[in-house]
C-alpha cells in the first residue's frame, strides 16, 4: 500500500463508492430506479412537506443549481409534485405524492439495512464511534463545502469562522 491508501480523502472516496454501489445494487434488486440523492430528497420531503427546492437542496447538502434535475426526475416518476409558492412566486414548493410516500415507506427498511453493510468489518461500538466522528468532521468542515448542509434554522445563524491557514 502506498501513502494514498492512508489518506482521509482517498478513504472517504472509497467508502462513498462502496456506499453508492451497495445502495444501487439493493434498489436494482427491488426493481427500482432510485439514487441516494433521490432517496435523501424523498426522506426529507416526508418530514418537511412543501419546502422550496433551494431549501431542500440545503437540507440534503446538495448543489442548488442541480437540485432541479433531481426534482424533475422524481416528478417524472410521479413521486413528487411542485407548485409555485404562495409566499414567494419565484420559489417552487415540493411535496411527496401518495406514490412517493408509498415508495419511501417501502425502501426505507432496505436503506436502513444497507447501512450495516457499508460499515462492514466494524462491530457495533466501532460503528457508533465511526458515525460520531464522521458527523463531527462533516459539521466542522460544513462551511468548506460547495453544497453545505443548511437546515431551515441555519439561515439565521452566522457562518462559523474560517480557520486560519
Amino acid at each position: 500500500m502506498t501513502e494514498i491508501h492512508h489518506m482521509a480523502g482517498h478513504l472517504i472516496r472509497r467508502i462513498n463508492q462502496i456506499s453508492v454501489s451497495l445502495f444501487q445494487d439493493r434498489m436494482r434488486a427491488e426493481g427500482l430506479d432510485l439514487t441516494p440523492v433521490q432517496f435523501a430528497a424523498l426522506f426529507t420531503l416526508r418530514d418537511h412537506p412543501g419546502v422550496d427546492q433551494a431549501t431542500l437542496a440545503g437540507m440534503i447538502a446538495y448543489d442548488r443549481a442541480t437540485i432541479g434535475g433531481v426534482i424533475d426526475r422524481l416528478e417524472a416518476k410521479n413521486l413528487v409534485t411542485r407548485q409555485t409558492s404562495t409566499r414567494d412566486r419565484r420559489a417552487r414548493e415540493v411535496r411527496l405524492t401518495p406514490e412517493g410516500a408509498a415508495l419511501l415507506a417501502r425502501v426505507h427498511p432496505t436503506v436502513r439495512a444497507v447501512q450495516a453493510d457499508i460499515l462492514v468489518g466494524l462491530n457495533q461500538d466501532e460503528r457508533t464511534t465511526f458515525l460520531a466522528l464522521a458527523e463531527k468532521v462533516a459539521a466542522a468542515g460544513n462551511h468548506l463545502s460547495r453544497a453545505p448542509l443548511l437546515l431551515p434554522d441555519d439561515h439565521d445563524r452566522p457562518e462559523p469562522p474560517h480557520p486560519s491557514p
Side-chain angles (χ1 to χ4, degrees):
M1 293 185 106
T2 65
E3 180 183 350
I4 194 169
H5 297 112
H6 302 284
M7 291 182 173
H10 180 76
L11 292 168
I12 291 165
R13 183 185 64 78
R14 290 284 299 128
I15 293 168
N16 182 61
Q17 284 178 320
I18 293 163
S19 173
V20 170
S21 178
L22 287 167
F23 185 95
Q24 289 174 336
D25 289 349
R26 298 294 162 77
M27 292 303 111
R28 201 172 8 258
E30 293 203 21
L32 298 172
D33 175 27
L34 190 69
T35 69
V37 172
Q38 290 172 350
F39 173 80
L42 293 173
F43 194 83
T44 301
L45 289 170
R46 180 196 72 180
D47 296 335
H48 302 277
V51 297
D52 63 83
Q53 290 180 187
T55 300
L56 177 62
M59 293 175 79
I60 63 172
Y62 198 71
D63 183 59
R64 288 175 65 165
T66 55
I67 191 70
V70 173
I71 301 303
D72 286 344
R73 287 182 284 287
L74 291 173
E75 192 173 40
K77 296 175 186 179
N78 197 33
L79 302 176
V80 301
T81 60
R82 280 188 282 204
Q83 64 184 29
T84 303
S85 170
T86 56
R87 295 181 304 266
D88 180 354
R89 303 298 292 164
R90 297 167 296 170
R92 307 227 19 225
E93 296 175 348
V94 187
R95 287 184 171 71
L96 288 179
T97 62
E99 293 84 359
L103 176 71
L104 183 60
R106 175 180 162 202
V107 302
H108 187 213
T110 302
V111 174
R112 287 187 61 105
V114 81
Q115 303 312 300
D117 295 335
I118 292 167
L119 300 179
V120 66
L122 300 181
N123 66 37
Q124 189 55 52
D125 287 343
E126 290 168 331
R127 289 173 188 188
T128 300
T129 300
F130 175 86
L131 290 173
L133 292 172
E135 288 173 12
K136 185 175 182 178
V137 169
N142 191 50
H143 67 285
L144 301 172
S145 175
R146 289 194 172 107
L149 177 66
L150 294 171
L151 300 177
D153 298 335
D154 290 347
H155 295 292
D156 299 326
R157 293 184 194 151
E159 185 173 322
H162 292 279
S164 44

